[in-house]
DNA sequence: TTTCATTTAATAGCTCGCTATGCAATATTA
DNA sequence: TAATATTGCATAGCGAGCTATTAAATGAAA
């Protein structure tokens, strides 16, 4: 059977994602952030006070994964969980001042990592690359729910 | 600052890689395999008896990561570690018959996952996608060692 | 109202990345 | 040859993903 890892989309996707995460980790470590916190922060910088369920829906991550990530973020004083006034099941997630202040440097770090990764592509190729990744994501998501 | 997750290569790469891993995991679970074992198996199906160091060089993962993966594979009776006859530091990695027998169904599972992910692309787009991922990998690797 | 179902979040336990460190075997050098 | 450096691998500990289960609060229904 002919199977070459360098012609396997899945193999390349895994390799690429690991390198992206390492590059980002290096850049945001001085800020006290980790790559897994980034997606949650992006949503919370947009609007905090959301419930865990709200975030889960937007991030396409399992509820348990997010619960653990939020626990680490609370430990690191990036967020506060406060009970929802009208529904005792819900915890609202609020950013700390510390987390708010990290927005600009964190986004800069992410943009630098992206720019480095795409540095060898022209503008058309970059756009095409993003488009094809979105296509693959849609196809893979379709397979599941 | 304008930062949209759906226009961030790193965000998309992470999302895509997670979905690839889930799709593959589902398909190889009946075989008793997990996605992390795949890269090592690919190398060992080519040629076993290699040392851990040999595999590390080919896989671009850290030595400790591979050591743990190999420990799970040994536990699952996929490999045997035998001391190298001429150098007491080295452990040679040998496939079991069980692992050899899994080659064809495992590769089929991987190819199905890839085909599904790329199903909405024509042949030219698929080739371009792989090329652009290899470009990004090269750029991200260049940043490090 | 009491019971049962649903919803929200947390917890347990696994894989598989990473860094940092330790240990034994081998090589090198003073 | 004795001391030191290097090499190959294992282990510890953490982050971040997953599934499965549990607990508590709310809602619905008998």
């Amino acid at each position: 059977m002919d199977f070459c890892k360098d012609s396997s989309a899945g193999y390349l996707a895994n390799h690429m994602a690991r390198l992206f995460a390492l590059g980002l980790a290096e850049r945001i470590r001085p800020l006290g952030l980790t790559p897994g916190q980034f997606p949650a922060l992006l949503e919370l910088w947009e609007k905090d006070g959301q419930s865990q369920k709200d975030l889960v829906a937007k991030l396409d991550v399992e509820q348990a994964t997010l619960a653990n990530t939020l626990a680490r973020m609370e430990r690191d004083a990036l967020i506060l969980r406060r009970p929802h006034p009208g529904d005792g099941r819900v915890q609202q997630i609020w950013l700390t001042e510390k987390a708010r202040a990290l927005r600009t440097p964190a986004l800069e770090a992410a943009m630098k990592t992206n720019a480095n990764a795409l540095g060898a592509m022209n503008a058309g190729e970059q756009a095409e690359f993003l488009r094809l990744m979105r296509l693959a994501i849609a196809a893979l998501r379709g397979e599941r729910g």
Side-chain angles (χ1 to χ4, degrees), chain A:
Chain A
M1 187 158 328
D2 53 325
F3 187 94
C4 173
K5 64 185 186 181
D6 289 315
S7 299
S8 166
Y11 197 107
L12 293 170
N14 170 270
H15 194 179
M16 180 172 67
R18 282 192 288 119
L19 292 169
F20 262 113
L22 282 176
L24 181 62
E26 200 171 310
R27 287 190 170 90
I28 61 180
R29 188 174 307 124
L31 306 177
L33 297 178
T34 56
Q37 301 170 342
F38 221 95
L41 283 172
L42 282 177
E43 299 300 335
L44 291 167
W45 282 325
E46 280 294 313
K47 175 180 154 215
D48 64 347
Q50 299 188 68
S51 72
Q52 194 182 112
K53 184 190 173 173
D54 293 335
L55 294 175
V56 163
K58 293 174 181 171
L59 298 187
D60 198 25
V61 164
E62 290 302 316
Q63 174 264 323
T65 298
L66 183 60
N68 283 322
T69 297
L70 291 175
R72 284 187 292 269
M73 293 173 73
E74 190 169 33
R75 178 202 62 190
D76 298 346
L78 295 168
I79 59 165
L80 295 173
R81 282 149 145 156
R82 295 215 174 284
H84 188 285
D87 188 336
R89 293 167 298 185
V90 176
Q91 297 269 27
Q92 291 182 304
I93 313 293
W94 300 96
L95 289 173
T96 62
E97 267 317 305
K98 175 182 172 186
R100 267 182 238 288
L102 289 173
R103 181 170 184 271
T104 298
L107 292 184
E108 273 169 5
M111 290 191 293
K112 269 185 207 162
T113 304
N114 286 337
N116 172 60
L118 307 186
M121 305 178 195
N122 63 41
E125 288 171 324
Q126 294 186 14
E128 180 70 355
F129 189 38
L130 298 183
R131 185 181 75 84
L132 294 172
M133 281 199 282
R134 283 190 285 257
L135 260 186
I137 287 167
L140 287 161
R141 286 192 55 151
E143 182 178 31
R144 334 200 83 229

